[in-house]
Amino acid sequence: GDSVTQMEGPVTLSEEAFLTINCTYTATGYPSLFWYVQYPGEGLQLLLKATKADDKGSNKGFEATYRKETTSFHLEKGSVQVSDSAVYFCALKSWTGGFKTIFGAGTRLFVKA
Amino acid sequence: DTEVTQTPKHLVMGMTNKKSLKCEQHMGHRAMYWYKQKAKKPPELMFVYSYEKLSINESVPSRFSPECPNSSLLNLHLHALQPEDSALYLCASSQGRLAGNYNEQFFGPGTRLTVL
């Protein structure tokens, strides 16, 4: 079945450091890929998405490129802020999965001032 | 309005109580979801309603009973819960199947449930 694998956290960075959170997936067909963010005490919010190979999703300085050849969707940001501290979930949806969103385990990010 | 609202924000209940969680959206979405999220884990899908009909039940115990009174509302009725049911319960909505698999989910802030 479909699955998503994320790098284990927590990830601790200093402010203005470069961020990469790795995400790889296994899916039949052509899934859509998502990054969701969950701030402390809140629900999940969509951060960015990509619906076909080579698409780049971007939002709030975060970027991720849909790489079908490596089945990856790594999240990057050039300069993190303290306010980026949160849990980041990589996720996919595919036709074969119907309505189901498959989430990765989540990566907790701590950014120090 | 791109918001999913959930009430109550916090709920403490005993194992013999009956309570309900409520969720509302006014985005015209025709798919609505209940998830359970334990600490430091991703959300686990419980139920999916599509066009007000139950589409997916992920083998959830019968002490959880979902209801979709109309296209904007989703309830989760709770009865005879166990302490291990304590978790964050998240509601989400998305455009229905006709919009394809490209559509993201919009999540509410959740209800923090504690079962004593």
Side-chain angles (χ1 to χ4, degrees), chain B residues 7 16 19 28 32 41 45 51 70 82 84 86 96 100 104:
Chain B
T7 55
T16 58
K19 297 287 185 182
M32 295 186 76
K41 297 291 186 183
L45 184 64
Y51 295 85
N70 60 54
Q82 305 296 310
E84 60 264 28
S86 298
E104 66 270 25

Side-chain angles (χ1 to χ4, degrees), chain A:
Chain A
D2 297 350
S3 66
V4 176
T5 302
Q6 286 182 241
M7 62 186 290
E8 289 192 22
V11 174
T12 301
L13 296 173
S14 297
E15 208 165 22
E16 299 184 3
F18 185 86
L19 168 71
T20 300
I21 300 178
N22 290 337
C23 171
T24 57
Y25 68 90
T26 302
T28 52
Y30 300 92
S32 294
L33 302 174
F34 307 85
W35 276 101
Y36 286 88
V37 59
Q38 186 172 30
Y39 297 102
E42 298 184 12
L44 279 70
Q45 301 174 26
L46 178 72
L47 184 59
L48 52 85
K49 70 177 184 181
T51 58
K52 60 183 187 296
D54 300 324
D55 266 3
K56 177 186 281 189
S58 61
N59 186 27
K60 300 181 183 179
F62 291 89
E63 292 183 342
T65 301
Y66 188 142
R67 301 284 187 201
K68 193 159 179 63
E69 64 277 12
T70 54
T71 62
S72 64
F73 193 55
H74 305 321
L75 183 68
E76 296 182 337
K77 186 176 186 184
S79 176
V80 294
Q81 306 300 312
V82 172
S83 57
D84 294 326
S85 297
V87 180
Y88 293 81
F89 293 97
C90 186
L92 70 82
K93 289 178 71 175
S94 69
W95 281 111
T96 55
F99 281 108
K100 295 183 184 181
T101 297
I102 308 299
F103 289 96
T107 302
R108 185 172 296 273
L109 171 66
F110 292 103
V111 180
K112 303 179 297 184

Side-chain angles (χ1 to χ4, degrees), chain B:
Chain B
D1 184 2
T2 58
E3 191 178 13
V4 176
T5 58
Q6 290 188 244
T7 55
K9 192 171 178 61
H10 299 277
L11 178 62
V12 179
M13 59 187 291
M15 290 189 285
T16 58
N17 292 157
K18 288 185 180 181
K19 297 287 185 182
S20 296
L21 309 185
K22 297 184 183 303
C23 173
E24 189 167 6
Q25 57 88 14
H26 294 287
M27 294 178 278
H29 290 168
R30 304 309 297 272
M32 295 186 76
Y33 310 74
W34 281 115
Y35 286 89
K36 174 183 178 180
Q37 187 180 26
K38 300 286 264 186
K40 300 185 179 181
K41 297 291 186 183
E44 299 173 39
L45 184 64
M46 299 175 72
F47 303 103
V48 180
Y49 273 83
S50 174
Y51 295 85
E52 294 96 70
K53 294 193 187 314
L54 185 62
S55 176
I56 295 175
N57 177 340
E58 292 287 277
S59 303
V60 178
S62 59
R63 57 186 184 268
F64 296 91
S65 175
E67 178 195 21
C68 190
N70 60 54
S71 60
S72 299
L73 294 174
L74 186 66
N75 299 322
L76 186 64
H77 303 298
L78 314 173
H79 174 55
L81 295 193
Q82 305 296 310
E84 60 264 28
D85 297 322
S86 298
L88 181 68
Y89 288 84
L90 294 165
C91 174
S93 70
S94 69
Q95 293 180 22
R97 179 181 286 274
L98 292 177
N101 66 325
Y102 310 130
N103 42 302
E104 66 270 25
Q105 295 179 333
F106 291 76
F107 284 83
T111 293
R112 176 75 60 189
L113 174 67
T114 302
V115 182
L116 301 177

